[in-house]
DNA sequence: AAGCCGGGGGA
DNA sequence: TCCCCAGGCTT
């Protein structure tokens, strides 16, 4: 009997279809952000992932130009005065914690000339780099496929396929495997951006727009809602774990 | 593997 | 007020 934490063939097929459909959806409905531009440097792409934590992409977009004009590279950020940096970060919330994290990360990166280890096991020692930013480093700095597994990707995968078992996204074996499979391959970046946009615009935490969802035909969450007759809004509150 | 932490903004 | 937002850190 296979482990309940293993990806089934059915899971894989569904995740593959999901990634393809969301990339297609994003081609017409995806959001445009400066940090996704070809002009964005690796420094900007990694730094912005710290800016984006526990805040909205809209808020980050609002400070993006000013921030990177004042702190254009790792050296500038590493030498920033905490007080000045905090002023830039205030609109995002968590500004004291974020300033300290950014300076720690920047000091590290400035010391290596902007290079990061290619082995994710070596990332845990780097300030402000947890599982999420580690994957961002693999994805944007090393050009490797990696899932930006945050609450958004987790929500979409859990609704479409099945809920995770553990409370913490970062420790659930099935969800980890599912995300990795979901974001595998040469289109990893596009898949990651597509699911973030889809989660923000359609598969929202509070009021998902299931009626206009491009994948509702095979979404477990929507199918369950439809067959149970329970109003969607009620079901949203309870993604049951098993 | 859980608990804790910590700020702005929208519903 | 409560909940959500591209989580990291400590235990």
């Amino acid at each position: 009997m296979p482990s309940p934490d293993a990806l089934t063939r059915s899971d894989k097929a569904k995740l593959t279809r999901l990634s393809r459909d969301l990339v297609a959806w994003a081609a017409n409905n995806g959001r445009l952000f400066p940090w996704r531009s070809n002009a964005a440097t690796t420094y900007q792409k990694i730094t912005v992932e710290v800016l984006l934590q526990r805040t909205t992409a809209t808020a980050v977009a609002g400070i993006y130009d000013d921030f990177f004009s004042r702190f254009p590279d790792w050296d500038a950020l590493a030498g920033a005065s905490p007080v000045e940096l905090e002023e830039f970060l205030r609109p995002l919330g968590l500004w004291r914690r974020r300033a300290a994290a950014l300076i720690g990360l920047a000091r590290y990166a400035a010391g290596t000339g902007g290079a990061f280890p290619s082995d994710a096991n070596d990332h845990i020692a780097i300030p402000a780099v947890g599982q999420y930013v580690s994957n961002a480093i693999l994805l944007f700095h090393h050009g490797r496929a990696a899932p930006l597994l945050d609450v958004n990707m987790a929500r979409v995968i859990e609704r479409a396929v099945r809920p995770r078992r553990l409370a913490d996204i970062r420790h659930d074996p099935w969800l980890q495997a599912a995300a990795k499979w979901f974001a595998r391959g040469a289109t990893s970046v596009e898949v990651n951006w597509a699911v973030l946009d889809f989660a923000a615009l359609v598969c929202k935490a509070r009021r998902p727009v299931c009626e206009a969802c491009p994948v509702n035909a095979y979404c477990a969450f929507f199918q369950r809602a439809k067959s149970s007759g329970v109003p969607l809004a009620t079901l949203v509150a309870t993604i049951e774990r098993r």
Side-chain angles (χ1 to χ4, degrees):
Chain A
M1 175 174 165
S3 157
D5 292 329
L7 276 186
T8 66
R9 185 180 291 103
S10 160
D11 289 341
K12 290 182 181 177
K14 206 163 177 181
L15 290 163
T16 298
R17 183 179 183 187
L18 183 62
S19 65
R20 177 170 42 78
D21 289 347
L22 293 190
V23 168
W25 172 89
N28 296 319
N29 304 283
R31 300 175 295 179
L32 292 175
F33 292 117
W35 54 89
R36 296 183 181 179
S37 153
N38 290 329
T41 64
T42 302
Y43 156 72
Q44 289 174 316
K45 288 182 177 177
I46 293 176
T47 299
V48 84
E49 295 299 338
V50 178
L51 298 182
L52 285 162
Q53 288 168 13
R54 312 303 283 178
T55 189
T56 61
T58 306
V60 174
I63 72 163
Y64 189 86
D65 287 342
D66 285 346
F67 184 93
F68 286 110
S69 294
R70 176 62 185 86
F71 308 108
D73 51 37
W74 289 120
D75 287 326
L77 190 54
S81 98
V83 173
E84 184 190 4
L85 183 54
E86 287 170 358
E87 281 310 310
F88 279 84
L89 300 175
R90 193 150 296 167
L92 306 185
L94 303 176
W95 39 274
R96 303 218 287 195
R97 164 183 299 196
R98 207 183 300 270
L102 281 171
I103 289 176
L105 174 62
R107 283 181 179 164
Y108 171 90
T112 66
F116 290 88
S118 58
D119 186 344
N121 294 320
D122 298 328
H123 290 174
I124 53 178
I126 306 172
V129 179
Q131 185 188 86
Y132 179 88
V133 176
S134 174
N135 279 327
I137 290 170
L138 295 180
L139 187 67
F140 296 119
H141 182 66
H142 293 291
R144 242 186 273 168
L148 299 178
L149 178 53
D150 67 331
V151 289
N152 292 293
M153 184 185 289
R155 185 173 63 249
V156 172
I157 289 177
E158 289 184 86
R159 280 180 179 162
V161 186
R162 67 159 241 209
R164 64 181 180 269
R165 182 171 58 84
L166 302 184
D168 195 322
I169 289 170
R170 297 160 290 190
H171 293 107
D172 187 274
W174 181 86
L175 185 56
Q176 288 288 325
K180 196 170 177 182
W181 182 268
F182 176 74
R184 79 195 188 288
T187 60
S188 193
V189 171
E190 288 90 329
V191 173
N192 276 293
W193 284 343
V195 69
L196 289 169
D197 292 346
F198 177 72
L201 301 176
V202 178
C203 197
K204 300 182 289 183
R206 277 179 181 151
R207 306 172 91 182
V209 194
C210 295
E211 304 76 19
C213 172
V215 304
N216 61 12
Y218 60 91
C219 171
F221 175 79
F222 183 69
Q223 296 305 319
R224 193 163 70 237
K226 224 171 50 169
S227 63
S228 71
V230 176
L232 206 55
T234 309
L235 199 57
V236 168
T238 55
I239 291 189
E240 294 167 58
R241 304 202 175 120
R242 50 179 183 182

